[in-house]
Amino acid sequence: MNKPIILTGDRTTGPLHIGHYAGSLSNRLRYQDSHEQYLLLADTQALTDNASDPDKVRRNVIEVALDYLAVGIDPSLTTICLQSHLPALAELSMLYLNYVTVSRLERNPTIKDEIRARGFGRDIPAGFLCYPAAQAADITAFKATIVPVGEDQAPLIEQTNEIVRKINATAGKAVLPEAQAVISSNGRLPGIDGRSKMSKSGGNAIQLSASPDEIRDAVKAMFTDPNHLRVEDPGQVEGNVVFAYLDAFDDAKQELSEIKAHYQRGGLGDGKIKSRLEDILQSFIAPIRERRQKLSQDQAYVVETIRQGTERAQNLTEATKREVVDALGLFQL
Amino acid sequence: MNKPIILTGDRTTGPLHIGHYAGSLSNRLRYQDSHEQYLLLADTQALTDNASDPDKVRRNVIEVALDYLAVGIDPSLTTICLQSHLPALAELSMLYLNYVTVSRLERNPTIKDEIRARGFGRDIPAGFLCYPAAQAADITAFKATIVPVGEDQAPLIEQTNEIVRKINATAGKAVLPEAQAVISSNGRLPGIDGRSKMSKSGGNAIQLSASPDEIRDAVKAMFTDPNHLRVEDPGQVEGNVVFAYLDAFDDAKQELSEIKAHYQRGGLGDGKIKSRLEDILQSFIAPIRERRQKLSQDQAYVVETIRQGTERAQNLTEATKREVVDALGLFQL
C-alpha cells in the first residue's frame, strides 16, 4: 500500500469517447499496477451545472462505469467509486469553503473560463463557483498526491494546495499532503470537425461504444487539410485531424512517420490516410464495444462493482475527514 | 409524532446569556411539550466566520449544551444534536448550492448586513456567503415547518423556501415542506451599555452562569436615562436598559407598570429600580448557575446527551436526504 495515490474521475454527464481514451483512460490503464488508483464517478460535481437535469446525471453513472470496465479498468486494481455516496467529501467541502474567499474562487482562471463557456452570466450556481473547494475535498480525502489533469485545470490543483496549506497551518501540523498536477503529454484530441476539442456536447466525438458504421461515417466526415485538393499536392499534417488521431492510435510510429512525409511532399490522398485510420479505429473500438455490450447486459455486476469500490472509498475518506477534524481540534463525539 | 417540527439552535461560539434566554430559550421551554423540537449545536456554522479558531468552536459545544440543560431543556422532550456530526446536512448543503445563484446569495439582506458587521470586505469566506444554503439544509433535513428567528433573520427562511420550491419543482413533487419563520415577540434584549444588542463579543452581556458579583456589577453599570440626574426629575422608560430587563424578567407586571409610572413622573431613583432588577436577576440566575455548575462536573452525561440526540437526528436527517435524492432521481446504490 505504499504506492503513490492517484485520483481522477469523470463527471457523469455522458458516455466517454476516444478523446477521453487518448487523454486520460490510456494513462489510467498504465497507472493500475504502479499506483493506488481511484476513479471517481463525479455525479455530485456533474450537478453543479446540470441541476435541472438530475436524470441525465443518474443515467450516466452506469454509462461511464461501463466505459471504464470496457477499456480494461480492473476493479481489483483500481477503485471505482461514486462521489455522491461519499458523505465525507461533502463534509470536507463545507469545511474547506471556510478557508477560501469568494474573491479567490472568482479569480480562479479555470472557473472564469468555464463560467464564460457555459454562458452563466450573473446566474452562476453557487455550487459551480464553489466546486474548486469540492475538488480539494475529493483530492485530499483520498490523500491523492498525483492528480492527472488537462492543462486548463492546473489552477484547480493550485487552489487545492492553498486550502491544504491553510488547513495544515490552522491545525499546526501537516495533516494533509499537497497534490501534484500531472498534465497529460497527449494533449486534447480535436473533434472530427477540427474546430474544437472533442466533446460529448459538441457532436464531434467518436464514442467508445461507436458502431462500425458510426466509425466509418465519422472518419469520412473528418477534417483534413482544406488546401490538399489534388492527390499530387503537398499536404499539411499540423491541424489535420486524421493525423492527430493517427498520432494517438497508430502504434506503427515508424510507418506513420513515413506516411506523414509522403503526405507532406504530395502524392498521398486523403482517402488513403482515412482508410488507414478507419482500420485502426475499427480494430481499436471493436473489442471495447463488445465488452461494453456484454457488460451492459449484466448491470447487477456493474452496480456491485461500484458498490464495493464506494465502500472501500467510504472507509478511506471517512478516516481522512476524522483526521482533519481531529487535527483542527473540532468536537468529536 | 404529529406535533409540528421546530428547529432552532445556537452557534457554538460562547456560553449563552440572559439575552438568549429572553429572546429564544424561554420560548424553547414552552415549545417542549407542544412541538417536536430540535436544538442544533451549530458548530459547523460557527466555523463560517471562526475558521481560524476551531478550538473556540469546540470548547463552546459543551458550554452551550450546559446552558440548554441548565435552563431546563429536557433531553427526553427536546433533541439536542451536534451539527458537524450530521453528514446529511453537508450533503444537502452541497446539493442545494446548485439551486441558488451566487448573486442571489449576495443579495440576501441578512448576509449583506452580517458581512458589513464582520468587516469582511472582499475577503468573505465562501462558507459564510453560502451559509443560507446550509441553513436551508438544516431546516429541511429536519422537515421543520416552524423556525423561530430574530427579525433580521427572516430573509434566511425566505431563501430556504426558494430552495424548497426549486427542489420540489425539479423533483416534480412536494418532497420538502416550506418553513414558516416565527419572529419572537420579545425582540432583542439590549446590552447593559444600551448601545447595541446584548452579545457575547460586545462585552455587554450577563451570562447565564454569571456569579452574584458579576450580576451586581453588571446591574450597577447599567445604562438608564442619562437625563435623570436627580431622584425628583421625571425619568425615561424607553431606551432605559433597566426597564428593558424588567420587562423581560419581572413577572409582577402590574407592579412593574406602577413603578414605570412613578419613574416617569419623578421621585423614583435609579438605585431603587436597579435594586429591584438585581434581586430579580439574582434569583433568576441562581438556580440556573447551580444546575450548570453541577452538570459541568458530569461532562460524561452532557456528552452522552448530545450523542443520543445526535444519533436520533442522524436517522431523521439521513432519511430526508435519501428522500430528496430519490425524488430528484439521482443514482442510489
Side-chain angles (χ1 to χ4, degrees):
Chain A
M1 289 299 265
N2 277 341
K3 295 173 182 174
I5 299 177
I6 191 163
L7 174 74
T8 54
D10 293 279
R11 294 155 35 97
T12 60
T13 52
L16 304 182
H17 50 63
I18 63 168
H20 291 111
Y21 187 90
S24 59
L25 291 172
S26 56
N27 288 328
R28 295 177 193 171
L29 293 174
R30 273 194 291 275
Y31 284 128
Q32 292 203 100
D33 287 305
S34 55
H35 289 65
E36 186 179 330
Q37 180 167 249
Y38 295 89
L39 295 191
L40 204 52
L41 296 163
D43 58 343
T44 303
Q45 195 190 315
L47 276 178
T48 62
D49 62 337
N50 288 281
S52 61
D53 194 359
D55 192 57
K56 177 172 95 177
V57 173
R58 177 188 56 75
R59 280 195 324 268
N60 285 296
V61 167
I62 291 289
E63 295 302 319
V64 174
L66 281 172
D67 288 324
Y68 287 170
L69 296 170
V71 298
I73 293 293
D74 177 348
S76 74
L77 296 172
T78 292
T79 301
I80 301 173
C81 50
L82 186 57
Q83 194 179 29
S84 62
H85 283 55
L86 302 172
L89 301 186
E91 295 179 88
L92 285 175
S93 297
M94 291 303 289
L95 180 65
Y96 293 173
L97 282 175
N98 302 319
Y99 293 92
V100 58
T101 65
V102 175
S103 50
R104 175 64 183 86
L105 290 172
E106 286 171 342
R107 280 198 314 272
N108 188 310
T110 313
I111 290 291
K112 273 167 120 170
D113 287 351
E114 291 184 351
I115 284 172
R116 231 188 332 262
R118 282 169 176 75
F120 280 140
R122 289 295 300 154
D123 292 330
I124 308 155
F128 191 82
L129 182 69
C130 294
Y131 99 69
Q135 208 161 58
D138 299 342
I139 294 168
T140 58
F142 287 92
K143 295 207 173 161
T145 53
I146 313 275
V147 185
V149 289
E151 207 169 347
D152 49 346
Q153 299 237 308
L156 292 171
I157 310 305
E158 197 32 59
Q159 174 72 84
T160 293
N161 288 336
E162 278 180 37
I163 291 173
V164 164
R165 288 190 287 269
K166 278 204 189 159
I167 293 286
N168 289 345
T170 309
K173 65 176 175 181
V175 58
L176 294 173
E178 293 194 29
Q180 195 191 335
V182 175
I183 294 159
S184 169
S185 56
N186 305 347
R188 298 263 191 165
L189 215 56
I192 61 169
D193 54 3
R195 273 203 295 271
S196 54
K197 66 181 189 193
M198 187 177 289
S199 78
K200 302 168 213 172
S201 53
N204 61 1
I206 301 175
Q207 297 202 337
L208 288 167
S209 57
S211 69
D213 283 358
E214 285 168 339
I215 297 168
R216 192 199 56 223
D217 292 349
V219 173
K220 206 176 271 175
M222 213 167 268
F223 182 89
T224 57
D225 171 2
N227 300 315
H228 187 235
L229 300 175
R230 295 174 306 177
V231 172
E232 56 269 34
D233 288 341
Q236 281 263 358
V237 165
E238 295 74 34
N240 187 318
V241 174
V242 176
F243 282 106
Y245 288 24
L246 284 170
D247 278 337
F249 293 98
D250 190 340
D251 291 330
K253 296 300 172 201
Q254 179 56 35
E255 214 178 310
L256 176 57
S257 143
E258 286 157 19
I259 291 168
K260 282 182 183 174
H262 190 180
Y263 190 81
Q264 284 171 315
R265 70 176 177 265
L268 184 59
D270 283 355
K272 283 270 171 56
I273 59 167
K274 285 191 169 182
S275 158
R276 181 180 181 91
L277 177 62
E278 199 204 319
D279 287 351
I280 289 170
L281 289 182
Q282 293 287 9
S283 45
F284 169 70
I285 291 177
I288 296 175
R289 184 179 55 236
E290 275 162 40
R291 277 195 300 269
R292 203 183 188 287
Q293 174 61 22
K294 210 173 282 173
L295 283 162
S296 74
Q297 281 156 12
D298 189 2
Q299 294 234 351
Y301 164 76
V302 180
V303 170
E304 182 56 22
T305 299
I306 301 173
R307 209 194 51 69
Q308 284 180 17
T310 302
E311 201 174 293
R312 210 151 49 230
Q314 274 166 351
N315 295 334
L316 174 59
T317 56
E318 176 68 20
T320 305
K321 185 207 73 186
R322 280 178 180 275
E323 265 185 83
V324 172
V325 165
D326 259 342
L328 289 174
L330 289 165
F331 201 92
Q332 292 281 56
L333 273 178
Chain B
M1 289 296 267
N2 278 340
K3 295 174 181 174
I5 298 177
I6 190 163
L7 175 74
T8 54
D10 293 278
R11 294 155 35 97
T12 60
T13 52
L16 304 182
H17 51 62
I18 63 168
H20 292 111
Y21 187 91
S24 59
L25 291 172
S26 56
N27 288 329
R28 295 178 193 171
L29 293 174
R30 274 194 290 275
Y31 284 128
Q32 292 202 101
D33 287 305
S34 55
H35 289 67
E36 186 179 332
Q37 182 168 248
Y38 295 89
L39 295 191
L40 204 52
L41 295 163
D43 57 343
T44 303
Q45 195 191 316
L47 276 178
T48 62
D49 61 338
N50 287 281
S52 60
D53 194 0
D55 191 59
K56 176 171 97 177
V57 173
R58 177 189 55 74
R59 281 195 322 269
N60 285 297
V61 167
I62 292 289
E63 296 301 319
V64 174
L66 281 173
D67 287 326
Y68 287 170
L69 297 171
V71 298
I73 294 293
D74 177 348
S76 74
L77 297 172
T78 292
T79 300
I80 301 173
C81 51
L82 185 57
Q83 194 180 30
S84 63
H85 283 56
L86 302 172
L89 301 187
E91 295 179 86
L92 285 175
S93 297
M94 291 303 290
L95 180 66
Y96 293 174
L97 282 174
N98 301 320
Y99 294 91
V100 58
T101 64
V102 175
S103 50
R104 175 64 183 88
L105 290 172
E106 286 171 342
R107 279 199 314 273
N108 189 308
T110 313
I111 291 291
K112 274 167 121 171
D113 288 350
E114 291 184 350
I115 284 172
R116 231 187 331 263
R118 282 169 177 76
F120 280 140
R122 289 296 299 155
D123 293 330
I124 308 156
F128 192 83
L129 182 70
C130 294
Y131 100 70
Q135 208 161 59
D138 299 342
I139 294 167
T140 56
F142 287 92
K143 296 206 173 160
T145 53
I146 313 275
V147 185
V149 289
E151 206 169 349
D152 48 348
Q153 299 239 308
L156 292 170
I157 310 304
E158 197 32 59
Q159 174 70 84
T160 293
N161 288 335
E162 277 180 39
I163 291 173
V164 164
R165 289 190 287 268
K166 278 204 188 157
I167 293 285
N168 289 345
T170 309
K173 65 175 173 181
V175 57
L176 294 173
E178 294 195 30
Q180 195 190 336
V182 175
I183 293 160
S184 168
S185 55
N186 306 347
R188 297 263 190 164
L189 215 54
I192 60 168
D193 55 3
R195 273 202 295 272
S196 54
K197 66 181 188 192
M198 187 177 288
S199 79
K200 303 169 213 173
S201 54
N204 61 2
I206 301 175
Q207 297 200 338
L208 287 168
S209 58
S211 69
D213 283 358
E214 285 168 339
I215 297 168
R216 192 199 56 222
D217 292 349
V219 173
K220 206 178 271 175
M222 213 167 267
F223 182 88
T224 57
D225 171 2
N227 300 316
H228 187 236
L229 300 175
R230 294 174 305 175
V231 173
E232 57 269 34
D233 288 342
Q236 281 263 357
V237 164
E238 296 74 34
N240 187 319
V241 174
V242 176
F243 283 106
Y245 288 25
L246 284 170
D247 278 337
F249 293 98
D250 191 340
D251 290 331
K253 295 300 172 201
Q254 181 55 36
E255 214 178 309
L256 176 58
S257 142
E258 285 156 22
I259 292 167
K260 283 182 181 173
H262 189 180
Y263 190 82
Q264 285 169 314
R265 70 176 178 265
L268 184 58
D270 283 355
K272 283 270 172 57
I273 58 167
K274 284 192 170 183
S275 158
R276 181 180 180 91
L277 177 62
E278 198 204 320
D279 287 350
I280 289 169
L281 289 183
Q282 292 287 10
S283 45
F284 168 70
I285 290 177
I288 296 176
R289 184 178 57 235
E290 275 162 40
R291 277 195 299 270
R292 202 181 188 287
Q293 175 61 20
K294 210 173 280 173
L295 283 161
S296 73
Q297 280 156 13
D298 189 3
Q299 295 234 351
Y301 165 75
V302 180
V303 170
E304 183 55 23
T305 299
I306 301 173
R307 210 194 51 69
Q308 284 181 17
T310 302
E311 201 174 293
R312 211 151 47 230
Q314 274 166 351
N315 295 335
L316 175 59
T317 56
E318 176 68 20
T320 305
K321 185 207 73 186
R322 278 179 180 273
E323 264 184 84
V324 172
V325 165
D326 260 342
L328 288 174
L330 290 166
F331 200 91
Q332 292 281 57
L333 274 177

